[in-house]
Structure formats: C-alpha cells, structure tokens
Amino acid sequence: MKKLFLFASFIIMTMGADAQNVEQRVEDALGKMTLHEKIQVLHAQSKFTSAGVPRLGIRQLNMDDGPHGVREELEWNTWSPAHWTNDSVVAFPSLTCLAATWNRDLSRRYGHALSEEFAFRGKDVILGPGVNIARTPLNGRAFEYMGEDPLLAGEMVSPYIQAAQQNGVACCMKHYVLNDQETDRFGVNVNVSERALREIYLEPFRRAVDKAHVWSIMGSYNLYNGEHCCHNDILINRILKQEWQWDGALVSDWGGTTSTMQAALNGLDIEMGTYTDGKEREAAFGYNDYFLADKFETLIKEGKIPMSVLDDKVRRVLRLIYRTAMNPQKIIGSQCSEAHYEVCREIGEEGIVLLKNGPLPVDFSKYKKILVVGENGTRSLTEGGGSSELKTLKDVSPLEALRNQLSMPSSIDYAQGYYSGKPMYSKQEKLDSAKQARLHEEAVEKAKDADLIIYVGGLNKNHGQDCENGDRESYDLPFGQNELIADLAAVTSSPKRGEKKGTLIVVTFGGNAYAIPWLDTVDALVHCWYLGSESGNALVNVLTGKVNPSGKLPVTFAKRYEDYPYVKFGERAYPGIKGQVYYDEGIFVGYRGFDKNKTKVLFPFGYGLSYTTFDLKNVIVEVASLVEETLNMKQDAVEVTVNVTNTGSVAGKEVAQVYVASPNSKKKDMPVKELKAFAKTRLLQPGESETLTMTIPLDDLRYWNEQTHQWQLDKGKYTFHVGVSSTDLRTTASLNIE
Ligand code: GLC
C-alpha cells in the first residue's frame, strides 16, 4: 500500500510540477508583455497560426486540421494549397469509425499516432476531434463525429485527446456546441431544452474536459440563446469556464466571430479566420481589423473593458503555448511510419460493422469469376469532405486490395456501376443520366457471368454527401445505387439453367445511416464508415476472415427516414425555419427516441455481427467506492461485472454494453434505458472467457432537473441490462440506491 501511495504521489507531483511550471511561466510572461503584445496573441496572424511574443522569444501557435490526419499545407493567408512536396500524410479512419470500434485502447493509439504526425509537421494544435451528436442522419459532417450517444462519444474521444496531449500536441475539441447540421450552419439559432443541452449535447464535451482535460475547444458557428457559440455567455463563461472550471483556450471557428464586445466579454480567447475588410471578403493581412485586435485594444485603453478580462484570455493562450509550442517535452514525431499504417488498419478493421451475413468470411479462390461493382471500389475517399480533406501518400482502394489478395488479379473484373462527379465543396454537379444508365447496364451485363459480386458503394465526400457546409438531400443512397443493387441482386438470384446462384456481398462507405430497401435480396452487408489510407486492406482482412469483425453501430439505422424522432415535428425541428431550429424531440435522440416511440428499427445502436458467437452471463452489480486518483477524492460508483465466453469456432472480440433503466424509466419524460458503460474483450479464442468489470460513478446516473437547474439522482431501483446491442440484452441485475 505504501509503495502505491508513494507512486501515486510521484505521479501527482510530476504532473503538478509540469502544471506548476507552466503556471509560473505564464505569470512571468504576462508580467512582461505590453498591452499590444497581449492583444496580438488573441487572434490570427495567418490562416492557421496565431501570434506569439517574438520579443520575449515566445513562439506562435501553429494549428491545423483535421481530426483524421494533418491537412496539406495551405498558403500563409489563403485557402489555396502551398504545393509542398513533403506534406502527404496518413489518412486515419473517420471518427465515426473509431467510435464503432468501442475500443478505448485504439482511441489512445489513434491520438498517439495522429499527434506524432502533427508534431512532425511542426503543428501544436489539432483542430479536432469533433463530437457533435447524430440527431439527424442527414448531417453532412456526421462522418467526423462519434455517433448518437453522448457517453459513447465522450468515452471514445477522451483517450485520443489524452494521448495527443501527452505528446505536447493540443486537441481543439469541436464544435462547441449544437453544430448538429450543416444547413444554415453560420446563422441557425438552436432552440433546445436545458435538459437535452446538458444530457445529450454538452455531455461529450463535459466528459472530455473532466477525463482528458482537453486544452482547447472550438466554438461553433451556430447560435444558442441568440448568441453565436464562439462568444456565448451561458455556454463559455457560465458552464465551461465557471461551472466546469476549464482552464483551456476557446478558439473561434474560422469566421465565427461577429462582435468585439461579445468576443471580449463572452469568453472567446483566440479569434481565427475572420473575414476582415468589411467582413464580406478577406483583405490580405488585415489582421489588425480583427474583432479582438485594434478595436479591442481601444476599448481596453479607454477603460471600457477591464484589464482583468484581457489578462484572463492571455493567460489561457499562454498556457496553451507553454503546454505545446514551448513545451520542452513536446515530441519530434514522425510521418507515414509503418506503425501509423498499422494503427490505421487496426482501427479500420475493428470499426467495420458486419450488418448481414451468409457467405462471409469468403475464400476468393473458390470463385471462378469475381466482379467488383461500384465507384467506391476505386475512388479515393480521403479527398473532399471539406476541412477534414487529406493529401495522402497511400490510399489503398478495395479493388486494389482485392487484386493484391489473389494470385491471378485478372480474375477480378470491375464495373464502375454509377458515377458521382469529382470531390468538391461547391454544389453537386449535374450528372449525365445517359452516362449513368450506360454504367448501370454495363455492370448488370458483367454480373451475369460472375459467381461472386462485391458491390462497393455508399456515400462519398462530395458536397451534399459526407461533406462540410451542406447536408444530404435524402436518406437514400445517391446516384441510382438502390436500383443498381436491386438489379445486381436480381441477376445473382436467377441462376442460369442448373447453375448455382451467384453471391452478392454489399460493402458501403459513409458517415451515417441510410435506407436499405434491398436488404433481403443481398447475401451480406458490411458498413465501413471511412477507413483512410489502409481502406482496402482493412476491408479485405475482414471479408477473408483474417480479422473477425467486432464493430458496433454508434448510430441507429432506422427503416425509414420518417422514423427519426425529430421528423414528426416538421421542418422547424430540421432543418429549421427562418434561421430557427427547434430540437423538439428533446433528449429522445437516436435509440432513446426509438425506444420511447416503440419504433422497430433496421439495425439498432450497438449492433454488429461477428464470425463467432458469444455468451454473456453472471452479471453482478454492487456499489463500490471509486477513488478519483488525481483529486484523491472518494466517489461512490456501481461496479458491473459480466462474464463473456466465445461459444463459436473462431477467435473474436465482443463488446459488453450496459444500459441502465432508472426508477422512473416508465415515466413519459424519462428514457427507457441509457448506455452507461461498455467494455470490449481482448481477442477470445473459441471456448475462452473473460470477466469484464465496468464502473459507473453514481454521478453518471443523474438526470438534469429543469426545475432546480441541477443534476439529480433519484432514489430507488436501478436496473442494469447487459447486452451486445441496445436491443439484444442478455442478462440483467438490479440495485437499490438510497
Ligand atoms: C471550418 C470548420 C472547422 C475547421 C476550420 C478550419 O469551417 O468548421 O471544423 O477546423 O474551419 O478549417
């Protein structure tokens, strides 16, 4: 025990020493800075850097997109590429894919590898990860976020942040908050109940502040309570900085700052990307026109804003600089190393979700004629998408990886099947229907000779698909894919005289759920999110069974668009009317809403098949007391243990999910159940078991009481359902909490 205490205090001391050292350096620098130098560190000096204090030898802050890899170098002051020749990087899988792994250790390894790439490029701040909530399946940026549940998002984002920041590279969590659609993103005012704001939309941020101590957060473009979220009194001053005691720097989204007084008084610390020169267009080097530049300096000089307001901002910016740019422990990093590709592939392999199975895993050598159909079989899915776009050194497509698998690559034929135009940010180009029809016919023709068809489609990074600054127009797959898949299924299911029918495996990419009218006619369905540089290799390793899939859905796949909880409230609930959107579904987002409405869904939250089977039993719940190691404070918690056994014939991993029904879960304004803990087994051999232990602090069982404006823990019987999806609950235990 004594050793443990000594070790713990050593940890606290070193951490303390670092933190104390930073605070000393902050105060020292602050005391030496002139007024103008204090103002300069509060805003951009180029597209992606904010100023340091050259006179004092304090370096500028280098920020960069994005959550999935280091963006190619842009020119100093424009959005145009600088055409470097050494900024091709690893594209890691999308964050929705990371969420789908439900594997905290992979999240840690993701943050570690990504921060090595950021450090190597001389960057101090990763502009990400994003944890906005998938309340609508049409959100253009859902692929950058971590699903519909705040606990999953908060738990899966924290290790990524901790690992990056341990390397001296800050994360800038985004977009704080309620940026849950791209339609009218710069101006929409979100009307949401206090309870939904707290329990659903703020919760991933709160969790990451509490567990990962994220060093910077990016405000969002939209408004809440009539104020832009980049300078919002309730969200930043009252909740983030006072109630949560957050010591980081609040960075605006690019162009999200709209007023000097609000930026000064409502908690903005670093203003980035403002359009200067009348705010219509960006004047070259008009950085002194920024809202937190000359205008702010004048207000300070005139005593209209107290120096303490300025000093608080400067402290936060200096703290960010000393934690990163001026941190002697900041790593050198590396780029495109084999280790990075390994992490990239493993995250992809564990994020792929097997939704329907029959023929998988597949032995390609058994098939005479294999046909790959679909534009995503060859298309790069790392370009486009907006600010998360990447310039890669390697981007293995599914077709390439399939051909690499076989001794006779020629035995795999290819048909594009449909076309979607090039990746872009502007409006989707008008597609040529004659060309579309020709591609469709060619694919169906070729399918007649194939005994195995692998369809590779889904969404892509075009505007109007999975792309920033616009939402999807439809819940259906685009570019005529539903008709194409139906025709391919018809071909494979009508065997020529006496021959066995063909096999159709469908593989989709995309950041969100979509309608699947052809589900019954295909033999297997695999959803991949976006897998990054190792895309094809991760996919083929799963299709061949080299890796047994263990991904679980971080979003629900509803049967129909109309089933989504907000849809029945009409346009006001999405995309909003005249700049106002109302989250009328309240806390009933995703499975919370489908449970409440008793809606049968196609594939539930937390769902994912495996090539083996698992048994979950002997769940035990008991109250334990959890010692918060850093603050050395006691906190009561519920400890849930469950025994997981691989009852199948191949090795695999399973995710135990704990959904809790509170004593009032029958009441109309309470959720039926909520995810409160999860854990993933190691790779279990057939017949092998593992006992998983999950801890739920009692604080996590509270709900937000809108009368008292406080968190409240109801007394009474709590029921803990443990399962392998939100609807496949295997074992249950209850506990009375007084
Ligand atoms: C964009 C995005 C934000 C990105 C920033 C810099 O508009 O909203 O996520 O980090 O600007 O590119």
Side-chain angles (χ1 to χ4, degrees), residues 48 65 71 79 127 141 144 174-175 185 218 221 253-254 387 468:
F48 282 93
D65 290 313
R71 191 172 187 176
W79 291 106
L127 297 174
R141 291 186 85 171
E144 289 186 64
K174 66 190 186 182
H175 303 84
R185 67 168 174 161
M218 186 188 296
Y221 287 127
D253 200 339
W254 268 237
S387 59
E468 181 173 336

Side-chain angles (χ1 to χ4, degrees), residues 454-616:
I454 302 174
Y455 179 84
V456 186
L459 305 182
N460 63 26
K461 300 289 187 70
N462 277 9
H463 185 91
Q465 299 303 319
D466 284 323
C467 182
E468 181 173 336
N469 210 20
D471 287 336
R472 290 163 67 191
E473 278 109 42
S474 158
Y475 186 53
D476 281 318
L477 289 183
F479 318 124
Q481 293 183 71
N482 284 344
E483 295 73 18
L484 175 56
I485 294 169
D487 286 353
L488 294 172
V491 166
T492 54
S493 60
S494 56
K496 296 181 282 271
R497 266 183 310 289
E499 277 186 35
K500 87 177 203 34
K501 87 180 188 68
T503 297
L504 173 57
I505 295 167
V506 175
V507 175
T508 50
F509 287 88
N512 230 310
Y514 58 86
I516 315 181
W518 33 263
L519 182 62
D520 297 341
T521 65
V522 306
D523 299 297
L525 173 60
V526 169
H527 187 62
C528 299
W529 318 106
Y530 292 105
L531 302 174
S533 289
E534 288 283 330
S535 187
N537 293 334
L539 171 64
V540 169
N541 287 347
V542 166
L543 295 179
T544 57
K546 188 173 172 211
V547 171
N548 185 355
S550 60
K552 303 282 178 182
L553 291 178
V555 291
T556 304
F557 274 60
K559 283 198 169 83
R560 305 169 313 138
Y561 177 67
E562 301 69 45
D563 292 344
Y564 282 90
Y566 66 89
V567 174
K568 66 179 179 242
F569 297 103
E571 248 193 291
R572 56 177 266 128
Y574 175 80
I577 299 171
K578 295 199 189 71
Q580 298 289 339
V581 68
Y582 298 85
Y583 288 11
D584 289 329
E585 79 279 15
I587 62 166
F588 297 107
V589 173
Y591 69 87
R592 288 173 171 80
F594 297 117
D595 283 351
K596 202 48 131 179
N597 302 335
K598 297 186 173 42
T599 309
K600 200 151 169 22
V601 299
L602 204 49
F603 298 114
F605 176 82
Y607 175 89
L609 297 176
S610 169
Y611 296 145
T612 185
T613 52
F614 293 93
D615 220 7
L616 271 69

Side-chain angles (χ1 to χ4, degrees), residues 419 430-438:
Y419 94 107
K430 185 102 187 66
L431 296 178
D432 172 350
S433 51
K435 176 177 177 182
Q436 209 66 293
R438 180 171 53 73

